[in-house]
Amino acid sequence: MRFNHTITILFLILFLGCDSKKNELEPEFTLDAPKYFGSFNQRIPEDNPITTKGFELGRMLFYEKKLSGDNSMSCASCHQQNKAFTDGKAFSAGIDGQNGEVSSMSLVNLLWSEKFTWNGKMETVEEQSTEPIRNPIEMHENFEHAIKELEDAGYSRLFQEAFNSDEITDDLIGKALAQFQRALVSSNSKYDQYLRGEYVPTQAERRGEKLFFTHPIPGQLRGGNCGDCHLGPLTSGAIDGFQGFHNNGLDTDENMDEGLMAVTGNPADKGRFKTPSLRNIALTAPYMHDGRFETLEEVIEHYDNGIHQSSTLDVLIIEGSNENQASGERPQLFLTKQEKQDILAFLHMLTDEDFINNSKFSNPFENEND
Ligand code: HEC
Ligand code: HEC
């Protein structure tokens, strides 16, 4: 009995000890994500769980212009909530007015993404969150200077609360920003409502969904082939630890951007880019890594009848046609006008008004700056 009692007390001390330590970072942030997105816990790093304080700090830093060299720009300059966290431009200029070489990306459902940036050069959201601050053609700031400014603005207390740290470091800035961005979950589009049985789609939306996810078999099954790469309800290229990079026929070998090859050095990866999520796609024009298409109609036209052949063109495009094509012939989908409109209707189903209006994700300084 006595022995047991001692053990119980020991346990209590241990348990309470751990618990009170944990409590300093509580309350844990609850992420609302539908089951059909798949599990995500494995992609939250053990050393950077999402907490309410960390999320709030990350949100402030995301909108904090002090993180740029001349205090004129924040992450939100190129990632605007009302545009699903893109900026509406083919190329975005940094603080020195110099343009980047690729288009800004929507920040959405990053928890289910395996690699980051168009060519996948970043392994984690943390890494990709400090890069733009340093980058001379983006926010062009030096961390010592930024940290000094954050200290002067009273941020030390917030880092203390979020990370138990007396010090502001670049590592913790990246962690807080990552917490905020991982919480940017979009899952209340009409398509989600339909998947949950809360919305009855129009005929066009129904046909569009089917075409989007069907790989065509000439003479038997009509399809748009999109879901071969834009996988499942996330409509992104990531699934269970795998990140899809594809060459979707934008260019010939001669004028093609390097894409994944810049990271792997493998010529077979030339022109292959991260397959982006199409969530909120109606809000994120212009399209593709170089913003070459202004409208979704142009994008659909590209896949239907605008594919450029090259040595690394994806086999899913070469083998995805509604008609039997001779080998070596330029791949075409041969969609009807109606089918293209149906796919467009489905793409519009992916717009999530709650996501772009969610006040949890908005600028916390709204009434002070800007
Ligand atoms: C000058 C415009 C600009 C600013 C400022 C900017 N970004 Fe970006 N962001 C981009 C561009 C362009 C890309 C694509 C980069 C690439 O492919 O190399 C991108 C990509 C990303 C991605 C990858 C998304 C994905 O799905 O792979 C993340 C995450 C990101 N930015 C976060 C941030 C954060 C956090 C900040 C602020 C610290 C920030 N960005 C500031 C333009 C910007
Ligand atoms: C072989 C794989 C593949 C297929 C099939 C495919 N896509 Fe894509 N899609 C991609 C890749 C990769 C990108 C990014 C390419 C780039 O920017 O260089 C992309 C980009 C896009 C974009 C622009 C996204 C943005 O953020 O700018 C849209 C819209 C799009 N695809 C829609 C579709 C539709 C609609 C279909 C079916 C008709 C389709 N895709 C079929 C791989 C594919």
Side-chain angles (χ1 to χ4, degrees), residues 91 101-103 105 115-121 229-230 236-238 242-251 255-263 268-277 288-292 303 312 314:
F91 303 108
E101 288 174 355
V102 284
S103 191
M105 298 175 89
K115 296 272 164 71
F116 303 92
T117 75
W118 285 110
N119 65 14
K121 61 181 174 285
C229 301
H230 299 278
S236 73
F242 162 84
Q243 177 69 59
F245 290 87
H246 299 277
N247 171 350
N248 64 343
L250 294 177
D251 293 300
N255 50 16
M256 160 185 305
D257 288 336
E258 273 201 307
L260 184 61
M261 181 184 161
V263 179
D269 289 334
K270 190 161 178 207
R272 294 175 69 195
F273 288 87
K274 173 173 172 174
T275 310
S277 165
M288 305 299 168
H289 71 276
D290 54 6
R292 70 175 60 192
Y303 285 110
T312 58
D314 207 277

Side-chain angles (χ1 to χ4, degrees), residues 300-350:
I300 295 172
E301 213 45 60
H302 160 74
Y303 285 110
D304 185 52
N305 190 18
I307 296 290
H308 288 95
Q309 288 188 290
S310 65
S311 55
T312 58
L313 178 62
D314 207 277
V315 66
L316 293 168
I317 286 190
I318 296 171
E319 291 179 355
S321 178
N322 285 289
E323 290 187 16
N324 286 309
Q325 292 195 271
S327 95
E329 211 182 321
R330 189 173 68 83
Q332 276 176 261
L333 275 170
F334 299 102
L335 294 171
T336 65
K337 198 165 163 238
Q338 180 68 55
E339 285 170 332
K340 291 181 210 173
Q341 283 168 3
D342 293 344
I343 291 174
L344 185 64
F346 174 70
L347 294 178
H348 278 274
M349 267 186 107
L350 299 169

Side-chain angles (χ1 to χ4, degrees), residues 144-197:
E144 257 171 58
H145 182 242
I147 289 169
K148 177 84 181 52
E149 280 187 279
L150 293 180
E151 282 167 359
D152 291 347
Y155 270 90
S156 299
R157 184 177 55 83
L158 303 178
F159 278 84
Q160 175 68 43
E161 287 173 0
F163 296 110
N164 246 328
S165 165
D166 296 333
E167 240 188 304
I168 301 179
T169 63
D170 49 355
D171 178 52
L172 291 180
I173 292 173
K175 280 184 167 162
L177 282 167
Q179 287 188 38
F180 171 70
Q181 294 171 91
R182 285 201 177 96
L184 298 174
V185 176
S186 172
S187 62
N188 202 24
S189 65
K190 271 191 187 167
Y191 179 51
D192 296 289
Q193 291 166 13
Y194 153 66
L195 291 175
R196 292 195 293 263

Side-chain angles (χ1 to χ4, degrees), residues 61-62 67 73-79 87 92-95 100 102-108 110 113 115-119 121 125 128-130 132-133 137-139 177 181 274:
L61 294 173
F62 190 83
L67 289 182
M73 202 171 212
S74 69
C75 308
S77 307
C78 301
H79 300 286
D87 64 357
S92 338
I95 66 162
V102 284
S103 191
S104 177
M105 298 175 89
S106 171
L107 305 179
V108 67
L110 294 180
S113 215
K115 296 272 164 71
F116 303 92
T117 75
W118 285 110
N119 65 14
K121 61 181 174 285
V125 188
Q128 177 55 21
S129 296
T130 45
I133 303 175
I137 60 167
E138 294 187 63
M139 293 157 80
L177 282 167
Q181 294 171 91
K274 173 173 172 174

Side-chain angles (χ1 to χ4, degrees), residues 2-71:
R2 177 168 241 161
F3 178 70
N4 270 348
H5 195 70
T6 319
I7 298 243
T8 311
I9 290 181
L10 256 175
F11 246 100
L12 267 176
I13 291 172
L14 269 176
F15 181 73
L16 288 177
C18 292
D19 207 48
S20 71
K21 179 136 199 292
K22 205 169 151 223
N23 261 337
E24 289 167 33
L25 299 178
E26 293 286 305
E28 231 15 82
F29 191 89
T30 24
L31 269 179
D32 249 343
K35 286 222 167 55
Y36 52 76
F37 278 7
S39 61
F40 56 81
N41 286 325
Q42 71 276 16
R43 279 182 294 271
I44 300 183
E46 263 174 36
D47 67 350
N48 196 25
I50 308 176
T51 64
T52 304
K53 296 282 187 200
F55 167 86
E56 278 305 334
L57 172 59
R59 175 183 169 200
M60 289 176 72
L61 294 173
F62 190 83
Y63 289 95
E64 183 52 82
K65 293 180 176 171
K66 294 189 174 67
L67 289 182
S68 65
D70 62 357
N71 293 359

